[in-house]
Amino acid sequence: MSSKTQTTEGAMVEYVTAMIGGQLFGLPISRVQDVFMPERVTRVPLASHEIAGVLNLRGRIVTVIDMRARLGLPKAEHGKVPMAVGVDLRGESYGLLIDQIGEVLRLPEDGKEDNPVNLDPRMAKLAGGVHRLDGQLMVVLDVDRVLELKTEVQMAA
């Protein structure tokens, strides 16, 4: 499945949308492996608070990253079942815990803008730009940046 398609108006990019703390985020569909409901997440002793734990997903050990913690947001309300988006980086599997999964949006590549100067710095460090949609801003998550921070946290420990 290609994340970019050519049309008469230019290149289009597909994003899997997700809500985290009331903010709309988009992940390039080319980076998304799975969307699943995490079950039986096992905490990892001495792991950063951003690491929710690990789980077994169809025989693969997946590191689960709490995107609310990564973004400096408060924990989700109890009773709300989180979703997870599966991504890979250099052969390692990760699950990004999100509040809610949305739809797949096809947006023009040239509609993506740089991060606005007033974008919350916690989001800006993980964002690869934004798309202005009807009445809201979709922050494009840079999956590499989201996962790189994990190693910075480990090295600081």
Side-chain angles (χ1 to χ4, degrees):
M1 175 168 19
S2 173
S3 67
K4 293 183 183 178
T5 55
Q6 197 68 28
T7 63
T8 54
E9 62 275 354
M12 301 291 281
V13 181
E14 292 181 302
Y15 295 97
V16 174
T17 60
M19 292 295 285
I20 306 169
Q23 173 62 51
L24 180 67
F25 289 89
L27 291 97
I29 200 167
S30 61
R31 298 300 305 268
V32 174
Q33 305 294 316
D34 292 304
V35 174
F36 59 95
M37 294 182 74
E39 296 179 17
R40 298 190 53 207
V41 176
T42 304
R43 285 285 304 151
V44 177
L46 305 177
S48 156
H49 74 285
E50 297 173 345
I51 306 297
V54 294
L55 59 80
N56 184 333
L57 181 66
R58 295 186 285 281
R60 290 185 327 224
I61 299 302
V62 176
T63 302
V64 180
I65 297 172
D66 184 344
M67 288 303 296
R68 281 180 159 268
R70 174 76 77 211
L71 291 163
L73 300 173
K75 288 193 178 296
E77 303 166 17
H78 285 296
K80 280 195 160 188
V81 180
M83 297 288 298
V85 176
V87 296
D88 276 18
L89 180 67
R90 295 192 274 292
E92 291 292 320
S93 296
Y94 297 89
L96 306 180
L97 277 186
I98 59 171
D99 296 341
Q100 185 179 356
I101 194 74
E103 58 191 347
V104 173
L105 293 180
R106 290 187 68 208
L107 299 171
E109 189 172 32
D110 58 6
K112 186 167 95 171
E113 303 173 23
D114 291 337
N115 293 340
V117 294
N118 60 348
L119 185 65
D120 186 310
R122 296 173 298 184
M123 287 184 200
K125 70 181 180 186
L126 303 178
V130 297
H131 276 277
R132 295 180 195 278
L133 305 177
D134 296 331
Q136 65 182 332
L137 194 67
M138 183 185 80
V139 177
V140 177
L141 277 179
D142 183 323
V143 175
D144 291 337
R145 284 192 213 164
V146 169
L147 300 177
E148 278 172 13
L149 289 176
K150 180 178 149 290
T151 56
E152 289 174 15
V153 169
Q154 287 176 336
M155 291 192 296

